[in-house]
Amino acid sequence: MKPATTRSMKLLTAAFVVFGTLVPTVLGLPKTPWVQQRVKGHGRKVLGASLEKRGQQTRDDCVVKSALDIDAPKENIWAGLTEQEAVGVVDWLFAQPELNLTVSEDAGSWDNTLLLVELMRPNKTDALSYVDGSGSLPARYAHAVINHQADEEPYYQDILVGPLPAANGTTTWAPLEYPFTRKTEGRVRNLDADEDSLYDEFHFSVSATISDITLDLWNATALGLENDTLSIWGIDPVYQDGDRILRWDTFWSNPTTIFDVGSMMPMGLFFMSDVTGRDTSKWTVEGWYYNGVFYDTTEEFRAAYWGGKVEKLDGNWDGPWAETDQQGTIPPLDTMAPPVASAPQGARYSVDAERKYVEWMGWSFYIGFDRDSGMALYDIRHKGERVLYELGLQEALAHYAGSDPTQSHTAYLDTYYGFGPFAFELLKGFDCPSYATYLNSSFYVSETTHTHLNSICLFEFDADHPMARHSSAEYVTATKNVYFTVRSVSTVGNYDYMFSYSFFMDGSVAVEARASGYIQAAFYAKNHDYGFHIHDQLSGSMHDHVLNFKADFDILGTENTVQLMEQVPHTTTYPWSKGKVFNTMKLNRSYVENEDEGQFNWGYNNQKQIFVVNQDENNKYGEHRGYRILPYTGASHLTVKDSSVLKNSAKWAEHDIMVSRRKDTEPRSTHTYNNQDTSNPPVDFSKFFDGESLNQTDLVLWLNLGMHHVPHTGDLPTTVFTTAHSGIQFMPTNYFNVGQNVETVNMVRVNYKDGDATDVINFGSYDGTCDLNYEPSFVDLWEYKGDVVVRKFPYSPDDLYYETDSI
């Protein structure tokens, strides 16, 4: 990767830096409720505090304060390598002659390169003795990936390097294979070693054989020239037919503006090729497909075309319809400033920015970040008790279907590209409130560290509905629903994925995924059974999004059980029914006893309820304390059965909920390179389930969020977050003896009688007034920078530059 021409910027060198606001000191609020009492004809008086005192303003009250800077109780053992650790590992690996590494900038398709260096997160068994007790810090190791291309059969290899810091005589490397179901010294074949030859030579040579046809059809060509008006790309993963590697590729018109709408510009002409082996001279074209007809050879296609036997269709071209800028009639009053959220006294949470540790209203957690899956949360606690050891994305699948061979063979496994490298800087005031706290994230690529500035945000928000309310003939009461969110957005190709983890005062947690960006559309011809006709020759090609999350629950300890409770129709007699049959319903309770029973779906009519409970910890009424798992909105699994494309590489996508016994050897449901060997992937998730007992043991729930997406005209120019939305909730059930929402002072009770309010009880919530600085709907975004890059080999901490990549 080449540095930018001008690199004179002065930047922060820390891997993560906090931006934005950080939390106020605790206000000295009275413990007695404030009660405003009105007596008819005598004005208003206050019970619990005088009006004069309550309304008094102090300068400190009205200062917007940033998050309280605190010290985490422990080191963040999931945060990532330090700058010096990463530099040391890279230097050390390049010094190992057996690896035969070449610096990425100088490497060709027959050189070995270092693709990844990151922290090997500690096994839970090692971590708990440190996190929960007085155990020492787990030994630190690096996970590295070597791309072995200097071989007739290229492969990727996961290796373990350590202990750290790297030093001659104490550090070693070894193949990393214990976390994988396939034990082959951490190796998986590399089917993309010659992609430069594919995209820079082979595709253009194929296109040249029919350039007269593309000119006749569309007045466009793809020949590898600067004035090309077409691009060629196709399926992912490549089709693996035994020992043969096959591709389907298609032509796309090139965008003519800044808007990267290429995924919506299919032209409807496809060709199949056999790209087995590294000798590109032996790659062959195996057929052509156009408008519902398959041609075995290029010669057959040419003869049919120039013989007048091919019905010619127009292509798809960009234009204002595909641009995201404002267009059309502006809605009434829309130019007025919209409502904006504010934090009048600043943030009400605490952050250890260096250790990525957060506390809010009794909740606490650490933030981790990696190349494959981006952000994850660890050691999530409520009032000091751990609820979840780990919560984070594992994989995101987008499986397409269509009448054409490209749509039919496309099933993206997006961790191959990585969510970390594309977790770009967030737009303040749009992605997150401008008053949020913003953190950076960093990842390794090609002997550099890229830092995404302001790519994680933390904020409180007041929902548009109360958390609880009730009204009667004498009073009305309501409680504000203020919650806390940590969020990131990753733009993987054409799709923008927004990930939000939210924490609520009632003790519940929500995980949400949203998708926006440009759809990958299909050519409309013969595609009616697979999508709507949405523009010219464009079909909104159907696809499933399935996003797999790991939720490692620890409810009052590591020994937990999954309990099922189902509402079912019931016909019975009762002692009081005098022998008459009564049609009603009842609860059936059971436990998921073993892994053979551990894969299932939400069930008909959402009548099945799923709980993670600790059978050894009951509340005072004898009920198991636990958390219920329930769909928030749109949760789903893959529609396709036994996918011809994915084979064994995404078995985690087949159910809504999967429960397995937690093992250090099963840290992830997938592997970054599962798409390189779909029949025998490094992690075959189905092998996690081998009948082991799930009764009072350390459990992991693998949960799928998803969207069955059939794009329509409303997806133009881009899909919207409002509808492409999926979420899941974790809700405390019998965990507390009373609802935790009663603890907040942000509630009110109004007593009334005979048409007048008699009491307004505020319970000690702040009700002074502060002047707010008006914040327009467009906050100052001139500081938006993109990625900061630090070269690692040779280490150049003072030679920083900006460079943002995309796929």
Side-chain angles (χ1 to χ4, degrees), residues 8 71 74 104 126 140 149 229 257 375 464 553 574 608 612 718 728 736:
S8 57
D71 289 326
K74 299 280 185 174
S104 298
D126 298 323
R140 291 175 66 81
Q149 294 190 140
T229 48
T257 67
M375 180 176 66
D464 62 356
F553 279 92
Y574 296 102
K608 183 188 296 181
V612 181
T718 54
I728 200 166
F736 306 106

Side-chain angles (χ1 to χ4, degrees), residues 115 120 144 200 317 417 535 538-539 578 595 605 723 769-770:
L115 291 186
M120 184 68 188
D200 296 341
W317 313 95
Y417 302 101
H535 190 80
L538 205 63
S539 171
K578 297 183 178 181
E595 290 178 332
N605 197 29
T723 54
T769 58
C770 294

Side-chain angles (χ1 to χ4, degrees), residues 348 360-361 363 435 459-468 479-485 502-506 744 746-747:
R348 304 190 306 163
W360 174 79
M361 300 292 171
W363 285 104
Y435 59 77
F459 62 91
E460 268 192 308
F461 207 77
D462 185 1
D464 62 356
H465 60 88
M467 180 163 44
T479 304
K480 280 189 173 291
N481 188 9
V482 179
Y483 61 90
F484 182 82
T485 295
S502 297
F503 299 86
F504 296 83
M505 289 190 173
D506 67 347
T744 177
N746 285 291
M747 62 168 67

Side-chain angles (χ1 to χ4, degrees), residues 351-600:
V351 178
D352 182 333
E354 182 180 353
R355 296 181 179 89
K356 315 303 168 301
Y357 173 77
V358 181
E359 290 183 353
W360 174 79
M361 300 292 171
W363 285 104
S364 66
F365 57 85
Y366 293 86
I367 300 173
F369 190 89
D370 67 21
R371 190 217 78 102
D372 293 347
S373 52
M375 180 176 66
L377 307 184
Y378 292 88
D379 198 27
I380 299 171
R381 298 180 185 238
H382 188 261
K383 296 185 175 180
E385 293 282 359
R386 184 165 52 248
V387 176
L388 289 142
Y389 173 78
E390 179 182 357
L391 178 62
L393 178 72
Q394 299 293 293
E395 182 61 276
L397 164 66
H399 198 307
Y400 289 74
S403 63
D404 73 63
T406 296
Q407 297 297 318
S408 294
H409 285 85
T410 296
Y412 296 111
L413 293 169
D414 280 336
T415 61
Y416 175 73
Y417 302 101
F419 284 85
F422 307 109
F424 296 129
E425 183 173 358
L426 297 166
L427 278 171
K428 297 178 181 178
F430 289 83
D431 291 320
C432 313
S434 57
Y435 59 77
T437 298
Y438 290 84
L439 306 178
N440 299 345
S441 59
S442 298
F443 62 96
Y444 173 92
V445 59
S446 301
E447 293 81 60
T448 63
T449 291
H450 281 227
T451 296
H452 293 305
L453 301 175
N454 303 340
S455 55
I456 297 172
C457 67
L458 311 166
F459 62 91
E460 268 192 308
F461 207 77
D462 185 1
D464 62 356
H465 60 88
M467 180 163 44
R469 81 175 308 282
H470 181 63
S471 58
S472 74
E474 297 183 2
Y475 72 93
V476 59
T477 181
T479 304
K480 280 189 173 291
N481 188 9
V482 179
Y483 61 90
F484 182 82
T485 295
V486 54
R487 173 178 293 166
S488 68
V489 177
S490 293
T491 304
V492 185
N494 53 308
Y495 267 116
D496 296 61
Y497 292 97
M498 175 180 282
F499 301 104
S500 303
Y501 301 92
S502 297
F503 299 86
F504 296 83
M505 289 190 173
D506 67 347
S508 62
V509 182
V511 183
E512 294 177 87
R514 299 178 187 266
S516 186
Y518 291 110
I519 61 172
Q520 178 174 306
F523 198 73
Y524 182 68
K526 310 297 186 295
N527 207 55
H528 181 73
D529 289 341
Y530 299 91
F532 295 114
H533 190 175
I534 61 174
H535 190 80
D536 293 347
Q537 299 295 326
L538 205 63
S539 171
S541 186
M542 67 180 294
H543 56 283
D544 277 358
H545 293 281
V546 186
L547 299 99
N548 187 242
F549 285 80
K550 178 181 182 180
D552 181 352
F553 279 92
D554 285 351
I555 305 298
L556 303 168
T558 59
E559 296 183 350
N560 295 162
T561 304
V562 170
Q563 183 180 33
L564 306 179
M565 186 173 73
E566 189 166 7
Q567 295 176 225
V568 296
H570 184 54
T571 299
T572 189
T573 59
Y574 296 102
W576 47 261
S577 64
K578 297 183 178 181
K580 291 183 179 180
V581 173
F582 203 84
N583 292 328
T584 181
M585 58 184 172
K586 71 169 187 174
L587 297 175
N588 282 346
R589 292 183 174 91
S590 63
Y591 296 102
V592 178
E593 296 290 349
N594 55 62
E595 290 178 332
D596 292 339
E597 304 170 2
Q599 301 183 78
F600 49 92

Side-chain angles (χ1 to χ4, degrees), residues 61-126:
D61 284 347
C62 294
V63 173
V64 177
K65 299 173 182 177
S66 57
L68 184 64
D69 186 10
I70 60 169
D71 289 326
K74 299 280 185 174
E75 294 295 327
N76 187 342
I77 56 178
W78 309 278
L81 298 175
T82 67
E83 184 82 3
Q84 292 303 321
E85 283 177 329
V87 170
V89 170
V90 173
D91 277 340
W92 188 86
L93 287 173
F94 269 88
Q96 308 311 304
E98 68 276 15
L99 297 178
N100 189 28
L101 292 174
T102 300
V103 175
S104 298
E105 285 184 352
D106 303 326
S109 59
W110 285 82
D111 291 311
N112 295 345
T113 55
L114 180 58
L115 291 186
L116 176 70
V117 174
E118 65 182 9
L119 178 70
M120 184 68 188
R121 287 180 177 153
N123 294 327
K124 184 179 179 181
T125 50
D126 298 323

Side-chain angles (χ1 to χ4, degrees), residues 717-756:
T718 54
T719 294
V720 293
F721 279 147
T722 50
T723 54
H725 176 207
S726 182
I728 200 166
Q729 285 181 301
F730 309 143
M731 181 181 78
T733 304
N734 298 313
Y735 190 87
F736 306 106
N737 287 326
V738 66
Q740 298 300 285
N741 54 291
V742 298
E743 292 187 343
T744 177
V745 299
N746 285 291
M747 62 168 67
V748 69
R749 175 160 55 86
V750 178
N751 299 338
Y752 59 92
K753 186 176 182 180
D754 298 329
D756 284 296

